[in-house]
Structures are given as structure tokens and as C-alpha cells.
Amino acid sequence: MTGAPEGSGFLAVDSGGSGLRVVVGTAERGPLARRTSDEPVRTGDRGIDPEHFMTRLVPLVRALTAEAGPVRLTAAVVGAAGLASLGAGLRAELPGALAREFGVRRVALAADAVTAYVGALGPRPGAVIAGGTGLIAIGTDLAGWRRADGWGHLLGDCGGGAWIGRAGLEAALRAHDGREGGSARLLACAEDVFGPVAGLPGALYPRPDRPAVLASFAPRVAVCAEEDPVAAGILRAAARHMADSAAAVCPGGASRVAVTGGLFKIGHPLLAPLDEELAKRLPHARRVPAEGDPLHGSVRMAAELSAGPLTLPDDETMLSVTTRSGD
Amino acid sequence: MTGAPEGSGFLAVDSGGSGLRVVVGTAERGPLARRTSDEPVRTGDRGIDPEHFMTRLVPLVRALTAEAGPVRLTAAVVGAAGLASLGAGLRAELPGALAREFGVRRVALAADAVTAYVGALGPRPGAVIAGGTGLIAIGTDLAGWRRADGWGHLLGDCGGGAWIGRAGLEAALRAHDGREGGSARLLACAEDVFGPVAGLPGALYPRPDRPAVLASFAPRVAVCAEEDPVAAGILRAAARHMADSAAAVCPGGASRVAVTGGLFKIGHPLLAPLDEELAKRLPHARRVPAEGDPLHGSVRMAAELSAGPLTLPDDETMLSVTTRSGD
């Protein structure tokens, strides 16, 4: 970089299934420029691929620093989906690679649940339910992190988009078969979306993105729930699962629970039972609006890290901070 | 074939995920020879591949007729997994191919649920629950067939092996997370089988045989059910789903319900709640022992077809009989 770098610059990244979102800013002036890449970072046998990550990131950062003006990048926060289970390669290689490429000395690698938390509640104790295709709850008392669920569509993600959509399609097929617990309305909806249900297995099972296909039916379940008791029961059960997860991670005495993620665009048909179930499980807490999204959380953490150490607790798999002495 | 062929010979086939089982016999003398091939018939873009089916079948039949002595094959019954949804190619090409290759004039293509039914109950009205990795119920009043469930592990197969195993692993992970509804005993079992649960998503999701991996945990759920209320609740819910499916297909007034398939090797921990749930849903029916397996059903049907028309009802997708006039 040329020119006179000013202040403490930071790099904030949100890496997920829909690609990379990157912000450059300074602690003093906040975010200065933002770019998006639609290509997600590859996951291979060794987990999330650190080389591919850098290949995607470097041109974005070059463009951002050109746009933001002379900035000395001192800190980077990378929030990444799958970090807890697939992040060994990133943890081993990314701090060194970011130091070599951009001179960044402090690097925090955070699970996307952590950046979702910080984006929603900031550095305060509480619990956040993050719902999209999947579902995870994360909580902190600022001494440590707890997570619940987030195990994927076959082992959990209870109450998430794929879970709701799958339950809706199961109820449709129950009606088709004449089994108990079916819903003629969900059956009509399913045929409207996918065609005759005899073709549903052939339309679903060969797809590599089965959870997303299932989740695509969740908004239809919510529409049906206004008048259909089976669909309403599915959303009630989803809300109960979410409250189970929130209760498992919410520290005693914490008063804040927030929800974040695309699933909650469903709105009232899901949020109304969720508030009731949260009131049962966490009577001392109240649901507060999320302040921002995971990229906002990454920016918040990066601004803090560029000025000094994070106030958030370290965690072996969910939040690891690496600090290098200067050259 | 050389020599003096005697009687009406038949060919009976059971084709499934574990390969082909083939019997040659005569209506008069019953089964004469049996062979097995471990390689399953391929499924491609056009469903079950009829050419590959014949490639696998022909050497088996040549060996069988050599072993059985001179037999004039007049009828063939092919029971095939996936026939209802993936059988268009077989229905179009197999009758002609069997006629050209072996001179067979009457061919019945049956869904494996139909051969399972006939193997278990014979040509009598009732309902059969077929459980393995998946679950399907089939019933007949001898005028038509009804089926319920059998939609695969993401859309149904409620109460089947993958369903039970998946529910057991979900309860294990609930205990791990500290969520409601968890079972420490199932958690210990899951770690015994799969190692630390943090590695479970990585061990399951990349596998092509995910339903089988889930189903492999079902017997462990059954063992835990003797002393663990969560595991017992999973088997109770599975039994309820099975009874739902049986009730949807059992003709009014029919008194026989049978279970068949590898899932029921679990025995008492599953059969005890199943008998209770069946008593609630079908109070006039009683569970009778299955007389035989799907290959036995295929043999029964083939023996009948070699002597004359089937007494069982035709069905567009589940049982189609083709008769050719002789050369």
C-alpha cells in the first residue's frame, strides 16, 4: 500500500454457503467499503480450504483498500459457517496467510454462530437463536460460549427451515395416504409447489441440496398455519424446539434473547408461538430485536480487535484469536 | 434347453438393495433351485436399468435351469424394490426380454411391497407392515391394493430403521447439548458406536448410504429401551407410526396384520408397543406371524402364474401382468 496509512484498519469477513462478504474499515471511522463474492469457499476432505479462501479474499481486499484509501490493516475477523467442525485448516493457516498478505497482526476466527450472536446482541450476556435452513442456539455469560443444536438436517437443526418444510411435506403425504395427522391443505400446497406427490421422492432425493429443497417449503407451511391446525402444530413444535435450544445455552440471570436469520422472515406465525414457548422456558428473559446480521457482528468484533483485545471469551472451536508480534 | 421339458416351470425373482435372489421351480414340484447375486441392479436416470437387470439375471437362470433339470419356463414374477416410482423401464422392456431369452409367456412385475405381502399373508385380505431401513404398509381386499408411507427417510418411512436410529441420535445430541428430551444412555451408546459426537456430522453427511448409517443405530435404541424412557418413547412413537400406516391400508373387516423385514429382528422392545398400538387402531385385527419373506411371495405368485392367472388384483404401478400369445 502507498500513501500515509492512518489509524487502525480492520478487515471483517462473513463466509457462508452463499459466498463471502467483506468489509474494510477503521476503529475510528467504522466501515469504509464493502464487497461481496457469490462463490462460496470450497470445502474439501480437510474441511474449509484455506488456500481457496485466500484466493477468493485477496482480490476483494485489494479492491476494498483501493476504495477505502490508505488503511493499515492491523486486525481481521473471519466469521465462517462450519468453522467448529470443518475449520482445522483455516485455524492452522489463515492467521499466517493474512499476516503475509496484508500485514494483519491480530486475527480472530469465529464460528458464524458467534458473529451472529455479536451482530444481534453485541458484547452482552444472553442467547441468540440463529435460524435459516438449519438452526443453532448460542449463548454466553461473557466467560464462555455454549451452543445447542446446529447438527444438520438428519441429526437435529430442530425447528429450522428444513425441519419445518420436511414436517410439512410429511403431513402432506400422510393426507395422501390416508394416515392420521395428515393435512389436505398442506397436500394441496405441496402439489402446487412440486407437482403430483408421487413424483416428490424423485424430485428430492437425487438433489445435492436436499435441506434447501425441504426448507423452501417452510414459508408455505407458515401460510397454511393461519387456518390449518396441522401446519400450526408444526410451527408450534418448531418454536418449542427453538425454546429448548435457547434454554440450554442462555446463562442464568441473562435477560436478552434475540432471533436472527432468514427463517424469521416467516414472521408472526412462527414468532407468536416462539414468544409463548420462550416465556415458558425462560420466564426471566425477553425477546429483543437483533441489532444486526452476522457481518455486522464480524465488523463489531474487528473494530474492537483493531483497537485492542476482544472482550468476548475465547473458545477452542468457536472463537480463536491469534496475535503476532510485528516484523 | 435340451431334453424333454416337463410341467409348467417358473422363475421367481426378488431384486433389492442387497442384490438378486432367483428361484426356478415348477407348479407341481415347487422350488427346484435357488441362486443369489450380491450385486444390485443399477438405477440410472431412467430408473431401474432393464438391460443391467437382464445382464445380471441371465447367467443365474442358465445355472438354475442346468441344476433343476429340463424345465419349460412359462411364467416369471419379478419383485423389485423401487418398482412403483422407478419401474417404467422394467415395465416397458422386461416382459419382451424375458420372452426372447427364456420363452416366458406370462410376466408379473411386482413392487417389493407386494411380494412382501404375499410372502407374509398369501392371497388373503389384510395388511402387512414391511420394515427395514425404510417402512411401508400395504393392504388388499383382493380387489385392489393400498399402500401407505414408503416415501424415504426425508419424507416419511415413519417408524422404520432410519427413523428410529435418527431419533435415537437426536436424543443423544439433546443430552450432549443439555436440551430437554435428551438421553444420557443414548449419548453413551452413540459415542460407543460413532466416537465423540462432535465428529458425528462429519461421519454421517458425506456418506452416500446415510439412511443405512442411521438405521444401524436402531438396534442400539432397542437395547437402551429396556431401561431408558427416552429410548422406549422412540420405539413407542415408531410403533404408533406403523399402526397409522397399517390402519390406512387395512381393508374394513380384515382380521390379519403381519410384519415382515429385518427391522423386526429388534423383537420385543418394538413388537410389544406395536401390538398395543395396533389393538387401538385396528381392534378387530390381530397380528399373525409372517409365513415367509418377499422371495417366498415371489415364488408363490410365480407358481400360481405358471398354472393360470393370478388371483391378486392388478395395479398400474404395484402389480402389472403381461401375457403373450405363443410363437
Side-chain angles (χ1 to χ4, degrees), chain B residues 157-197:
Chain B
D157 281 2
C158 299
W163 189 99
I164 292 171
R166 196 206 54 69
L169 292 173
E170 185 185 310
L173 294 170
R174 284 178 180 274
H176 172 85
D177 293 349
R179 282 179 285 155
E180 288 250 306
S183 158
R185 188 179 288 258
L186 284 169
L187 177 58
C189 254
E191 300 212 307
D192 185 42
V193 175
F194 297 104
V197 292

Side-chain angles (χ1 to χ4, degrees), chain A residues 58-147:
Chain A
V58 167
L60 291 170
V61 176
R62 296 264 177 252
L64 285 165
T65 49
E67 183 182 339
V71 173
R72 183 171 56 87
L73 296 174
T74 61
V77 171
V78 175
L83 187 82
S85 50
L86 301 169
L90 286 192
R91 277 188 286 271
E93 296 185 23
L94 218 53
L98 289 166
R100 282 192 301 276
E101 195 69 44
F102 304 120
V104 169
R105 288 175 47 213
R106 287 195 288 272
V107 174
L109 294 180
D112 58 347
V114 167
T115 53
Y117 186 98
V118 178
L121 286 185
R124 283 184 286 272
V128 167
I129 302 166
T133 298
L135 191 121
I136 190 168
I138 180 167
T140 183
D141 55 5
L142 304 186
W145 295 97
R146 294 194 66 178
R147 52 170 271 186

Side-chain angles (χ1 to χ4, degrees), chain B:
Chain B
M1 278 170 280
T2 56
E6 53 168 296
S8 291
F10 66 75
L11 181 62
V13 181
D14 177 50
S15 169
S18 55
L20 278 181
R21 297 188 298 161
V22 187
V23 165
V24 160
T26 67
E28 297 77 16
R29 296 163 58 200
L32 298 172
R34 161 193 301 230
R35 296 258 165 154
T36 296
S37 158
D38 289 339
E39 188 191 339
V41 176
R42 276 198 296 259
T43 298
D45 293 342
R46 293 168 51 243
I48 304 166
D49 182 340
E51 281 183 37
H52 189 239
F53 186 95
M54 289 302 291
T55 305
R56 305 300 313 151
L57 185 68
V58 167
L60 291 171
V61 176
R62 296 264 176 253
L64 284 165
T65 49
E67 185 182 338
V71 173
R72 182 171 56 88
L73 296 175
T74 60
V77 171
V78 175
L83 187 81
S85 50
L86 300 169
L90 286 192
R91 277 188 286 270
E93 297 184 24
L94 218 52
L98 289 167
R100 281 191 301 277
E101 195 68 45
F102 305 119
V104 169
R105 289 175 46 211
R106 289 194 286 273
V107 174
L109 295 179
D112 58 346
V114 167
T115 52
Y117 185 97
V118 179
L121 286 186
R124 284 184 284 271
V128 168
I129 303 167
T133 299
L135 192 121
I136 190 168
I138 180 166
T140 183
D141 55 6
L142 303 186
W145 295 97
R146 294 193 65 176
R147 49 170 272 183
D149 212 345
W151 295 102
H153 72 295
L154 291 176
L155 296 168
D157 281 2
C158 299
W163 189 99
I164 292 171
R166 196 206 54 69
L169 292 173
E170 185 185 310
L173 294 170
R174 284 178 180 274
H176 172 85
D177 293 349
R179 282 179 285 155
E180 288 250 306
S183 158
R185 188 179 288 258
L186 284 169
L187 177 58
C189 254
E191 300 212 307
D192 185 42
V193 175
F194 297 104
V197 292
L200 195 49
L204 175 65
Y205 291 112
R207 297 267 300 244
D209 58 343
R210 290 175 294 276
V213 176
L214 295 171
S216 74
F217 195 59
R220 303 299 293 257
V221 176
V223 170
C224 288
E226 307 280 353
E227 298 183 22
D228 182 76
V230 171
I234 289 169
L235 293 186
R236 169 70 59 177
R240 206 174 293 132
H241 285 308
M242 291 178 192
D244 283 348
S245 290
V249 302
C250 194
S255 65
R256 283 180 181 81
V257 176
V259 302
T260 183
L263 177 61
F264 297 98
K265 287 182 196 152
I266 282 178
H268 182 78
L270 179 58
L271 293 174
L274 178 59
D275 284 338
E276 290 173 17
E277 297 298 328
L278 285 172
K280 286 182 209 165
R281 304 296 314 279
L282 291 167
H284 302 298
R286 68 195 167 89
R287 186 162 67 80
V288 298
E291 293 174 11
D293 67 3
L295 180 60
H296 177 65
S298 189
V299 166
R300 263 184 157 163
M301 290 167 67
E304 190 181 12
L305 192 62
S306 71
L310 287 181
T311 53
L312 295 162
D314 261 36
D315 181 275
E316 192 184 346
T317 56
M318 288 200 287
L319 179 55
S320 58
V321 181
T322 310
T323 303
R324 302 184 167 247
S325 46
D327 292 344

